[in-house]
């Protein structure tokens, strides 16, 4: 903060790159790049690839000032769907407008996996 104004933000994510074993309470749902691709993965390559896509999507967000052009695929175990991210609520949950025109859905962390329409980026 500078002069009661936000001057910078930090965004953080966690990626399991070469982890092979997970705590029992998350082992059923957790995975890593190395498990998904059956071999050790370069952390530098993952970082570069992730950053390139982040910059691309941040550019879209900066231009539109909303989420209207950021499509997502929600892997809800009951009924996966594709839609458009339309915002974030006061709890930090993602708001998604399904492509089928149904009501906006609130997507809470841990309930589903949210990916870009092209899969993991």
């Amino acid at each position: 903060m500078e002069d009661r104004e936000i001057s910078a933000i930090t965004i953080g994510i966690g990626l399991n790159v070469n982890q092979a074993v997970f705590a029992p309470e998350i082992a059923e749902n957790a995975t890593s790049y190395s498990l998904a691709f059956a071999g050790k993965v370069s952390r530098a390559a993952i970082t570069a690839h992730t950053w390139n896509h982040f910059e691309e999507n941040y550019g879209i967000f900066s231009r539109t000032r909303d989420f209207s052009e950021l499509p997502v695929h929600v892997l809800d175990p009951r009924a996966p769907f594709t839609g458009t991210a339309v915002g974030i609520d006061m709890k930090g949950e993602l708001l998604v407008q399904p492509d089928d025109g149904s009501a906006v859905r609130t997507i809470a962390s841990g309930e589903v996996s949210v990916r870009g329409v092209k899969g993991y980026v």
Side-chain angles (χ1 to χ4, degrees):
M1 301 270 313
E2 292 180 15
D3 298 324
R4 297 183 185 206
E5 296 289 325
I6 297 173
S7 61
I9 62 169
T10 300
I11 297 172
I13 62 170
L15 300 174
N16 298 320
V17 179
N18 289 312
Q19 188 168 347
V21 179
F22 296 91
E25 60 272 13
I26 64 168
E28 183 179 326
N29 296 313
T31 192
S32 67
Y33 279 92
S34 64
L35 291 174
F37 296 110
K40 190 169 181 173
V41 177
S42 164
R43 284 185 173 91
I46 293 292
T47 300
H49 190 75
T50 301
W51 186 249
N52 287 337
H53 284 282
F54 178 86
E55 285 185 314
E56 177 184 332
N57 288 328
Y58 184 73
I60 293 169
F61 176 80
S62 294
R63 180 174 47 77
T64 61
R65 298 288 188 206
D66 62 25
F67 296 95
S68 62
E69 294 182 20
L70 296 173
V72 296
H73 184 72
V74 180
L75 297 178
D76 183 328
R78 295 165 296 178
F81 68 96
T82 301
T84 302
V86 294
I88 297 175
D89 69 12
M90 295 302 287
K91 295 180 186 176
E93 298 168 325
L94 185 65
L95 303 174
V96 177
Q97 174 63 63
D99 287 343
D100 67 7
S102 59
V104 170
R105 302 257 312 262
T106 301
I107 309 302
S109 174
E111 291 180 352
V112 296
S113 174
V114 179
R115 304 176 186 178
V117 293
K118 296 178 183 175
Y120 283 118
V121 294

